[in-house]
Amino acid sequence: DVVHAHEYKTDLLALLLARFERVVPLATVHNWSGDHWRERIYYFFDRRLLPLYPRVIAVSDSVRRELVRTGTDPSRIEVVHNGIDAASFRRSPGARLVLRGELGIPPEAIVVGSVGRLALEKRYDLLLEAAARQSRAVHVVLAGEGPSRADLEARAAALGLGERLHLLGHREDVRDVLQTFDVYVQSSDVEGLPNGLLEAMALEVPVVATDVGGTREVLTSGVHGLVVAAGDARALAAAILRTTAGAEAKRVRVRAARARIE
């Protein structure tokens, strides 16, 4: 009855299918991220396909505004925030130390990290710079793969992080990876409403996030975590330091974040 599309290729296919079959096309728009010239061309045409849909779901108000700007009728758009199964994202005793043992990270070390594609818009270069600014030696753990791997390795070497950068590649055990972190850092310039952020909040991992996409729609700064301006390594570093230094405030925020996800 309904064909549900999720990205530019299926957005086109669902519309074509609806021309020949008695089905209704529906699209969920997560965002348009990617810096390759081919992706930019695809996204240009995708924004012009979506106004043809009878119904479009946006994962955040920021995505909704972009849809309206590029011609989609506002009455056809519904905002449905991403959600995760909070029951399956609960902290596990001992999970914090398992990956640390695998990577050779001391139990007492501070670990900051993120989960996502290694791409320019994620601004992991800023995360590395923020980590290098900390007064204590900090390990950076990134789960994900992408075209920026070599650049990040070179940047880490230049900042003196060296072996304290751990690029895990694609991982299936995201719950365990997240619980290794002392701080989950979203350093992105562009987001829709990232599941990694929601999963970290559910697992009661302290969060520092840039003010992009739908971040403020689910996270109030000072209540559920800390929100900083995008593109500012100094602000990111200060928020990480504030998080690691304030034990009681951190405990209050992670409990509030868990409740928000529930």
Side-chain angles (χ1 to χ4, degrees):
D1 299 305
V2 176
V3 178
H4 192 176
H6 282 273
E7 43 76 38
Y8 58 87
K9 291 180 182 177
T10 53
D11 287 346
L12 174 60
L13 292 172
L15 279 177
L16 291 174
L17 188 62
R19 294 282 300 273
F20 300 100
E21 300 289 341
R22 297 178 65 181
V23 296
V24 177
L26 170 71
T28 289
V29 183
H30 300 270
N31 202 25
W32 300 270
S33 61
D35 46 43
H36 194 276
W37 64 266
R38 188 181 296 111
E39 290 172 315
R40 290 196 291 269
I41 291 173
Y42 290 155
Y43 296 153
F44 174 84
F45 286 106
D46 189 41
R47 286 178 170 93
R48 277 124 193 105
L49 285 176
L50 291 164
L52 303 177
Y53 271 79
R55 205 58 147 184
V56 179
I57 297 170
V59 300
S60 68
D61 284 327
S62 64
V63 171
R64 181 186 185 280
R65 288 193 296 272
E66 179 62 13
L67 285 167
V68 172
R69 188 188 72 80
T70 53
T72 301
D73 184 341
S75 68
R76 297 184 180 186
I77 306 170
E78 294 287 346
V79 174
V80 181
H81 291 124
N82 288 340
I84 60 168
D85 182 359
S88 68
F89 280 85
R90 290 187 179 275
R91 292 194 72 85
S92 305
R96 179 178 181 273
L97 300 178
V98 173
L99 185 60
R100 289 180 181 232
E102 176 186 325
L103 299 175
I105 300 175
E108 70 280 3
I110 293 176
V111 175
V112 300
S114 196
V115 175
R117 184 167 175 259
L118 304 184
L120 286 177
E121 71 269 11
K122 296 294 186 181
R123 296 307 309 270
Y124 290 138
D125 59 314
L126 290 181
L127 172 52
L128 294 178
E129 185 177 339
R133 290 174 176 270
Q134 301 303 305
S135 56
R136 291 175 56 185
V138 170
H139 287 254
V140 180
V141 176
L142 299 176
E145 197 52 85
S148 296
R149 172 183 276 269
D151 291 338
L152 292 172
E153 290 172 334
R155 183 62 178 151
L159 290 168
L161 291 172
E163 295 182 355
R164 288 188 281 123
L165 171 63
H166 308 271
L167 299 179
L168 306 184
H170 177 75
R171 300 284 294 217
E172 296 290 345
D173 57 341
V174 172
R175 291 176 185 83
D176 292 338
V177 171
L178 287 168
Q179 291 178 77
T180 302
F181 301 162
D182 293 297
V183 188
Y184 179 88
V185 182
Q186 173 189 291
S187 50
S188 312
D189 280 343
V190 179
E191 288 288 355
L193 187 60
N195 284 328
L197 176 68
L198 304 180
E199 291 165 358
M201 291 170 67
L203 288 166
E204 299 179 69
V205 179
V207 169
V208 171
T210 46
D211 188 7
V212 295
T215 298
R216 284 193 185 270
E217 294 169 42
V218 296
L219 193 159
T220 301
S221 190
V223 177
H224 310 108
L226 299 178
V227 180
V228 300
D232 190 338
R234 288 179 180 273
L236 206 61
I240 291 170
L241 180 60
R242 180 180 164 191
T243 300
T244 56
E248 181 54 34
K250 177 173 61 179
R251 280 193 290 270
V252 172
R253 286 198 294 270
V254 297
R255 286 196 293 267
R258 170 73 192 181
R260 172 70 172 130
I261 293 300
E262 290 174 348

